[in-house]
Amino acid sequence: MSTRSHYLKKANTCAHAAKTARDPAERVALLQVSQCFILLADYVAARQEHGTAHRGDEQRAVPPDS
């Protein structure tokens, strides 16, 4: 799985959790975290598009099961 896909998966997980959260503050926090993961995914994609990502960056940037 690419780093971008990893971050987008995490964003979707947070967004889904926000839908089921009962506490409005928790919902907002989860949506903010989701947005951060989307921004990270966009950043990674832009680096790869501009050729500034180095081979192997994807594996180093994704901690296992985090």
Side-chain angles (χ1 to χ4, degrees), residues 6-42:
H6 178 78
Y7 288 142
L8 290 176
K9 183 178 176 184
K10 292 229 178 246
N12 285 331
T13 300
C14 290
H16 178 70
K19 288 181 184 180
T20 60
R22 294 181 186 222
D23 179 20
E26 182 180 356
R27 189 175 304 126
V28 168
L30 285 164
L31 290 173
Q32 288 173 336
V33 172
S34 178
Q35 183 179 21
C36 288
F37 279 122
I38 292 169
L39 292 171
L40 282 168
D42 290 346

